[in-house]
Amino acid sequence: MFTTDQLLDRIFRDPKVKYKLDLFTTQEKKRLQMFEKNGRVRIRCMVRDRDYIAKSEEVVRQLMMYASRFAKRICSQQRI
């Protein structure tokens, strides 16, 4: 079984592109539900609850969704 970092390395082969993932915390990256199936890395969509081929844009989309949901939760807690 591969770790999240190993799977991200397979998707983001170019180090310049992977560097941009530093916008996200390690905790956010570890929340990604990624796995290998039939030799391809797949990612679980947290909204649609479906598996997709983990292309770089899909990984970033999932990270953005997680970060925006987390930010909304923090903002709503601060209003109380």
Side-chain angles (χ1 to χ4, degrees), residues 20-77:
K20 305 296 184 195
L21 291 179
D22 288 347
L23 291 169
F24 304 101
T25 65
T26 303
Q27 178 186 2
E28 290 170 334
K29 290 183 228 176
K30 291 204 181 288
R31 297 271 311 193
L32 294 173
Q33 297 177 22
M34 298 173 65
F35 56 95
E36 186 178 15
K37 183 178 179 182
N38 298 330
R40 298 198 79 167
V41 180
R42 306 210 36 106
I43 189 167
R44 187 87 162 146
C45 177
M46 67 174 73
V47 174
R48 292 174 266 173
D49 200 30
R50 287 182 53 192
D51 298 338
Y52 292 93
I53 295 173
K55 296 179 182 175
S56 56
E57 53 272 4
E58 184 63 29
V59 171
V60 172
R61 190 175 75 79
Q62 292 299 319
L63 286 166
M64 290 299 294
M65 283 193 299
Y66 175 74
S68 68
R69 285 180 174 207
F70 182 74
K72 285 180 187 178
R73 191 175 324 129
I74 294 296
C75 289
S76 67
Q77 289 175 354

